[in-house]
Amino acid sequence: MVVDGLDCFFVSSMVHTEALLKVVSERIASLGHLPYTDFTVQRFSGLEQETRRMDVGNNSDWTAELRSCIVCYQKIIEFLQRLEKAMNIMVLIQLSFSMLNLCMALYQQTKIPDLSSALKYILYLPFPTMKIFFYCWAAHSVKEQGEEVSWAAYRCAWPDSNQDFRKNLAITMCRAQRPLLLTAGQIYPINKNAFVSLVKASYSYYTLLRQFEDK
């Protein structure tokens, strides 16, 4: 129960981090755009474009808002670093045991002649798989949302902004292009590719056991 509780805590922390990154992305993308404007669809008239360009160039509040977003982004990175430090060893152990449990469940299923007992092992199979999936899915979502911050910076109204705003925005984009990776034991990145690799490894170990048995 304690281990399952920690699993839920770590996964929910990663989901919460993804939500915070999404909020920061939306705040950055909205810089320079009017609150009521859907800037991906609506087009401005010539007069509106000119008024908007003048407001952006002279409005120092936008630079302050960008700096506020940068501070929030830095705090999110610090939180992720602490989270990764707290969970990386446990995640490595959890993923390893889940992979072995999946392998042994597959092997035991083929060894039991009783249909009812074999059915119990079949019903057990999704649980280690889901544990691996939730970790990999949550960590991968954090990585994708971290990359979205750079795209959000590109979508704001930077062409009409002043030089200081563009300089700060460029620094933000460069930092956001560095992936926010969570690892297992600081050696194995946790993502969707890791989930596929672990499931394949479980099946490979299962086939290896079957080959030893046949010999």
Side-chain angles (χ1 to χ4, degrees):
M1 291 296 294
V2 175
V3 175
D4 292 337
L6 285 175
D7 290 335
C8 293
F9 172 75
F10 288 143
V11 172
S12 61
S13 297
M14 287 186 280
V15 173
H16 178 66
T17 303
E18 179 197 359
L20 293 177
L21 288 169
K22 186 175 182 180
V23 172
V24 172
S25 298
E26 292 179 352
R27 287 178 61 187
I28 294 176
S30 65
L31 291 172
H33 298 280
L34 299 177
Y36 58 83
T37 302
D38 182 4
F39 54 86
T40 61
V41 178
Q42 183 176 351
R43 295 182 179 180
F44 292 91
S45 65
L47 179 61
E48 288 172 335
Q49 284 280 16
E50 184 65 25
T51 303
R52 177 167 161 265
R53 185 177 296 108
M54 293 174 61
D55 291 341
V56 177
N58 299 323
N59 196 342
S60 60
D61 292 340
W62 293 9
T63 302
E65 175 66 13
L66 177 60
R67 290 174 179 172
S68 176
C69 293
I70 294 173
V71 171
C72 292
Y73 183 67
Q74 290 174 340
K75 290 182 178 179
I76 293 172
I77 293 176
E78 292 176 2
F79 174 77
L80 274 178
Q81 291 173 346
R82 294 178 182 178
L83 179 64
E84 203 268 347
K85 185 177 180 180
M87 70 179 239
N88 69 84
I89 299 298
M90 180 179 174
V91 172
L92 179 63
I93 297 172
Q94 285 287 82
L95 294 183
S96 300
F97 273 98
S98 296
M99 181 181 65
L100 291 175
N101 287 336
L102 180 60
C103 172
M104 296 307 299
L106 285 170
Y107 180 74
Q108 290 294 333
Q109 180 187 353
T110 61
K111 299 293 292 182
I112 298 176
D114 185 12
L115 181 61
S116 61
S117 299
L119 183 61
K120 293 180 181 179
Y121 279 97
I122 294 176
L123 295 176
Y124 172 75
L125 287 177
F127 290 98
T129 307
M130 288 174 60
K131 183 172 290 189
I132 298 173
F133 172 76
F134 283 134
Y135 270 114
C136 295
W137 164 75
H140 190 84
S141 298
V142 170
K143 175 180 175 293
E144 286 187 336
Q145 194 59 53
E147 295 171 351
E148 183 63 24
V149 174
S150 179
W151 287 104
Y154 184 76
R155 292 199 304 268
C156 75
W158 63 268
D160 303 326
S161 63
N162 54 36
Q163 186 175 1
D164 290 338
F165 183 86
R166 295 181 186 179
K167 181 179 179 180
N168 294 329
L169 191 67
I171 296 174
T172 304
M173 293 178 67
C174 291
R175 175 59 186 88
Q177 289 175 358
R178 293 171 56 186
L180 301 178
L181 293 178
L182 292 166
T183 63
Q186 296 184 346
I187 56 176
Y188 198 79
I190 310 172
N191 49 38
K192 292 181 180 179
N193 293 331
F195 171 74
V196 176
S197 299
L198 289 171
V199 173
K200 287 183 177 179
S202 298
Y203 186 77
S204 298
Y205 292 144
Y206 160 72
T207 56
L208 184 62
L209 288 174
R210 292 296 304 271
Q211 289 177 1
F212 280 124
E213 181 184 10
D214 295 337
K215 292 181 180 179

